[in-house]
Amino acid sequence: MASSLAWGVSPQAQAAEALLSQGKPATASSHEGEAYAAAAAVDGNLTGTRWSSDRRDAEWMQVDLGTTKNLSRAVLTWEAAYGKDYEIQASDNGTDWRTLKKVTGSDGGTDEVAVSGSGRYVRMQGIARANGYGYSLWEFQVYGSDGGGTGPAPGGAVKVTGSQGDWQLTVGGQPYTVKGLTWGPSVADAPKYLPDVKSMGVNTIRTWGTDASTKPLLDTAAANGLKVVNGFWLQPGGGPGAGGCVNYVTDTTYKNNMLTEFAKWVDTYKSHPATLMWNVGNESVLGLQNCYSGTELEAQRNAYTSFVNDVAKKIHSIDPDHPVTSTDAWTGAWPYYKRNAPDLDLYSMNSYGDICGVQEDWEEGGYDKPYIITEGGPAGEWEVPDDANGIPDEPTDVQKADGYTNAWDCVTGHQGVALGATLFHYGLEHDFGGIWFNLVPDGLKRLSYYAVKKAYTGSTAGNNTPPVITNMTVTPASAAPAGREFTVRADIRDPDGDLVTPKIYLSGNYANGDKRLIDAKWRSTGNGTFAVTAPEKLGVWKVYIQAEDGRGNAGIETKSVKVVAPPVTGTNLALNQPTTASSHQAQYGDCPCTPAHATDGNTGTRWASDWSDPQWIQVDLGSAKPIRTLQLVWDPAYARSYEVQVSDDGSTWRPVHSTTEGNGDIDTIDLSTTARHVRLQLTARGTGWGYSLHEFGVYS
């Protein structure tokens, strides 16, 4: 199974990146009125004008860039009516579209989407809305450039030679073992980073998409004496949760379009000295399970691999001098290739913690083609046990480095069959996935970087190496009060005696889906111990220690911490008491979300109102009681403005607290009053949804 990064980590940004879309002609599938036409999303007015569609899922808007451009990224600034799932697509003619990137599970706000490709037209194709409204974009910005190139490096015909169990890859007649990495930085950064890649003993990089934007990368690779596995993307790619569904049994239009597209770029780059081979698809045999099941799934997998064979034959007819392979995420895909794709020259496999099992599966399957590992390294999220907080227990830096060493040993151990590997991943992203898999997050070299360098060159003698972090602990790991301090401790040492600077980060990936690393508020208490302020948002967070040596290296360790509501002294007078509200959602997502859910003592349930202002929720304490504290545990659908009111009879209310600056986190409010009834009068929502509370606690 491949990392979820597999499609998102191949941006191909161009030199002299520019904003291409502003002021260009824009159209859409629908709009709510002339004031909300598509042009309002490309006028440069970031929060003053917007496009807004009809209330349907499959709506779109597109911009005409005037001429074909190399594309690097799209920035979507959403209004509250945002797209949860959507695709960024490109077209040369405004009719035939290809997917550059699929986004799933967006949380709105601003989405910055790295893409690799070219086109004159760029489209946001909606798949699923986040709420009952349509799609609404304040601004749809497309970036890229016209591109360029540098001089080539020497090359030669690439062949798979030999016979059963004794194969070899040759380039220009000379033996060639793939010592590779998957490539993540932008094309604009290729001159900066490819010399470093070369210094690691790497001779090959792998990409996932090939189009007009590929040429500068090929040129820079050739200038550095590197080869490229040129990928072609097919839907659904990326394994579970990624891609988009295609019917390979019936959709001849899609297949013909892909054949035409791939043939164009094979013809364009077949003589480029950096081209090593062509790789058709990424994890689609596995990914089809997200679209089909049962006998239909079998039919689709057979049809897909048959189409891969059609592509292989087409490529061979254009370019007889470079092999064709196809990547999947499990050896269970190989029987389909064996049966339906005889024209492939070799197989490819993405394998992480179980990489040493590939040889056994190959031998037991009786296969008659060699293979390369196209992604590999440390164990992924799907391969490790869960920790005490119920999330994957991420390996340590030492374990990850050992994972790369072990991976390469398994590849080289299958002599005559495994022809090399492009290990995962030379990426710069400094986020949840980047910390898990990247050798150089934020440009900092880790133990894994040096493990790969030693595997490929045989030595790292003379290299300054990263700090090493061990014995990391979090206290309390499963009950850190929101907004209060918890303790992180670790042993940090630098093998070279360099002065080490620690940093602490947090990621809400498991709490709110935000994969970014954010700076934590922390202070050192000495001896490798840190007091870290917990986020206000409840849920399981990742906390990271990053130790930098000032020489471009870093050690990074991470553990989880479960953030809970801060304890409140006294008795919760509202617990399981009669609770009513102005409205509640009977069914939507996890609903019914009745008022009683806000006073049941369970932060896993919630009350949710209609999507309108104002609303209210109130609890009857049974008799007049002294009230000292109110604690409100908000769902993401929170109140920006509200008033706390109390009453003795449930009819006449008096205010005791109000705010217009609610932020959706936990509100702990000190009071000094006596009453039987307590009500929240909610006057302004913080989102486009209604109001939603996990807990409404009233304490004596």
Side-chain angles (χ1 to χ4, degrees):
M1 184 181 296
S3 150
S4 60
L5 284 177
W7 179 228
V9 294
S10 54
Q12 303 280 326
Q14 302 301 302
E17 182 189 62
L19 176 58
L20 306 174
S21 54
Q22 189 163 309
K24 294 296 194 298
T27 55
S29 53
S30 65
H31 56 79
E32 287 192 281
E34 291 305 316
Y36 303 99
V42 293
D43 62 2
N45 190 343
L46 195 58
T47 57
T49 58
R50 62 186 174 94
W51 164 67
S52 183
S53 79
D54 286 345
R55 300 184 181 189
R56 295 187 295 263
D57 281 328
E59 299 292 311
W60 54 263
M61 76 148 290
Q62 67 190 50
V63 59
D64 179 358
L65 305 180
T67 60
T68 298
K69 303 291 185 181
N70 294 328
L71 309 172
S72 59
R73 61 190 171 109
V75 180
L76 297 86
T77 305
W78 293 102
E79 198 253 352
Y82 66 91
K84 180 169 67 71
D85 301 335
Y86 60 89
E87 290 183 348
I88 301 300
Q89 301 175 339
S91 173
D92 299 319
N93 56 17
T95 302
D96 303 308
W97 296 89
R98 52 191 176 272
T99 298
L100 302 182
K101 181 70 178 288
K102 181 174 181 179
V103 176
T104 58
S106 171
D107 58 0
T110 299
D111 289 347
E112 184 161 342
V113 183
V115 298
S116 170
S118 64
R120 170 176 173 173
Y121 302 86
V122 182
R123 175 161 73 176
M124 187 291 296
Q125 175 64 62
I127 298 173
R129 295 164 294 152
N131 50 50
Y133 299 105
Y135 300 92
S136 185
L137 283 165
W138 292 110
E139 201 73 6
F140 180 45
Q141 297 168 304
V142 178
Y143 290 82
S145 74
D146 290 320
T150 59
V158 183
K159 303 291 182 182
V160 176
T161 63
S163 57
Q164 180 70 22
D166 188 27
W167 289 286
Q168 188 175 68
L169 194 66
T170 63
V171 177
Q174 299 300 309
Y176 189 97
T177 298
V178 177
K179 297 182 176 181
L181 288 173
T182 53
W183 172 253
S186 68
V187 169
D189 283 335
K192 177 179 179 181
Y193 291 107
L194 281 181
D196 180 53
V197 170
K198 178 72 172 179
S199 76
M200 297 173 67
V202 170
N203 60 16
T204 307
I205 59 173
R206 179 201 173 197
T207 68
W208 290 265
T210 302
D211 52 31
S213 69
T214 305
K215 186 178 186 301
L217 180 63
L218 290 170
D219 291 344
T220 310
N224 285 276
L226 299 172
K227 297 288 185 181
V228 179
V229 177
N230 291 317
F232 288 124
W233 191 259
L234 284 170
Q235 295 180 347
C245 294
V246 170
N247 190 316
Y248 283 94
V249 175
T250 62
D251 196 343
T252 55
T253 299
Y254 175 81
K255 291 188 286 186
N256 288 337
N257 287 343
M258 292 302 99
L259 269 175
T260 301
E261 177 76 5
F262 299 165
K264 176 173 66 174
W265 300 117
V266 170
D267 190 54
T268 300
Y269 298 127
K270 65 183 180 181
S271 300
H272 199 289
T275 294
L276 180 70
M277 66 179 71
W278 308 100
N279 189 5
V280 183
N282 183 71
E283 302 190 358
S284 293
V285 175
L286 178 65
L288 281 164
Q289 70 185 1
N290 301 307
C291 306
Y292 305 98
S293 61
T295 56
E296 181 62 22
L297 174 59
E298 286 301 295
Q300 292 294 332
R301 285 174 166 168
N302 283 313
Y304 167 78
T305 46
S306 295
F307 176 62
V308 167
N309 196 64
D310 293 340
V311 177
K313 287 193 290 187
K314 183 71 172 180
I315 292 175
H316 284 141
S317 71
I318 301 169
D319 177 14
D321 291 330
H322 296 93
V324 182
T325 187
S326 184
T327 286
D328 226 276
W330 63 319
T331 52
W334 282 357
Y336 297 93
Y337 288 112
K338 182 180 181 181
R339 180 165 57 247
N340 302 313
D343 287 272
L344 291 176
D345 298 287
L346 69 164
Y347 299 147
S348 294
M349 174 60 50
N350 294 343
S351 186
Y352 291 79
D354 192 34
I355 196 169
C356 292
V358 175
Q359 177 175 349
E360 180 181 353
D361 290 349
W362 186 90
E363 292 169 347
E364 291 181 353
Y367 298 107
D368 57 1
K369 293 184 187 294
Y371 66 86
I372 59 172
I373 297 296
T374 39
E375 291 177 25
E381 289 177 80
W382 56 94
E383 296 176 303
V384 298
D386 287 347
D387 65 12
N389 289 322
I391 67 166
D393 194 5
E394 188 165 341
T396 67
D397 262 11
V398 172
Q399 291 169 332
K400 290 175 183 177
D402 289 343
Y404 287 101
T405 301
N406 184 56
W408 186 242
D409 287 345
C410 292
V411 171
T412 56
H414 200 184
Q415 294 183 2
V417 181
L419 306 183
T422 53
L423 298 177
F424 193 90
H425 174 61
Y426 196 92
L428 305 175
E429 294 85 357
H430 188 251
D431 57 8
F432 168 80
I435 297 300
W436 198 302
F437 289 107
N438 286 354
L439 302 180
V440 285
D442 207 24
L444 297 167
K445 299 173 182 177
R446 305 170 71 179
L447 289 175
S448 295
Y449 171 97
Y450 293 98
V452 173
K453 185 171 186 176
K454 185 173 183 179
Y456 287 167
T457 67
S459 174
T460 55
N463 290 133
N464 187 281
T465 52
V468 178
I469 305 172
T470 55
N471 302 319
M472 180 179 175
T473 59
V474 176
T475 308
S478 298
R484 301 183 186 177
E485 288 186 337
F486 62 93
T487 300
V488 176
R489 195 197 172 282
D491 296 321
I492 305 173
R493 64 179 181 88
D494 188 272
D496 306 295
D498 296 321
L499 180 65
V500 173
T501 302
K503 297 179 180 179
I504 309 291
Y505 297 99
L506 293 164
S507 168
N509 180 56
Y510 296 108
N512 57 17
D514 188 348
K515 294 182 180 294
R516 295 175 302 166
L517 264 60
I518 59 175
D519 291 308
K521 181 180 179 181
W522 62 277
R523 57 190 177 87
S524 174
T525 56
N527 195 31
T529 303
F530 309 92
V532 182
T533 301
E536 295 284 351
K537 190 71 66 182
L538 303 190
V540 179
W541 290 71
K542 295 291 291 293
V543 57
Y544 299 80
I545 300 177
Q546 180 166 304
E548 301 178 16
D549 65 0
R551 297 176 179 269
N553 300 309
I556 308 174
E557 293 298 311
T558 179
K559 294 290 183 183
S560 74
V561 59
K562 185 175 183 179
V563 178
V564 299
V568 179
T569 58
T571 301
N572 185 359
L573 305 173
L575 184 62
N576 296 321
Q577 294 298 110
T579 307
T580 55
S582 51
S583 65
H584 76 272
Q585 290 186 22
Q587 55 183 23
Y588 181 82
D590 59 342
C591 293
C593 299
T594 63
H597 283 162
T599 54
D600 62 2
N602 181 1
T603 56
T605 62
R606 66 187 179 100
W607 163 70
S609 78
D610 288 344
W611 296 6
S612 62
D613 296 320
Q615 301 287 333
W616 55 262
I617 182 172
Q618 66 188 52
V619 59
D620 181 353
L621 306 181
S623 61
K625 295 176 182 177
I627 300 169
R628 296 293 173 264
T629 307
L630 216 65
Q631 188 175 80
L632 309 177
V633 181
W634 293 101
D635 176 71
Y638 67 96
R640 188 175 70 251
S641 299
Y642 64 90
E643 186 174 79
V644 180
Q645 301 172 343
V646 296
S647 172
D648 299 320
D649 57 9
S651 298
T652 303
W653 298 89
R654 57 186 183 275
V656 292
H657 174 82
S658 66
T659 184
T660 59
E661 298 179 347
N663 60 10
D665 296 325
I666 294 174
D667 292 346
T668 303
I669 303 163
D670 293 329
L671 298 175
S672 180
T673 189
T674 299
R676 172 175 174 172
H677 303 270
V678 182
R679 172 154 71 172
L680 298 180
Q681 184 66 41
L682 307 161
T683 53
R685 292 167 289 154
T687 70
W689 302 310
Y691 300 93
S692 185
L693 277 168
H694 285 286
E695 279 300 301
F696 177 16
V698 181
Y699 293 85
S700 61

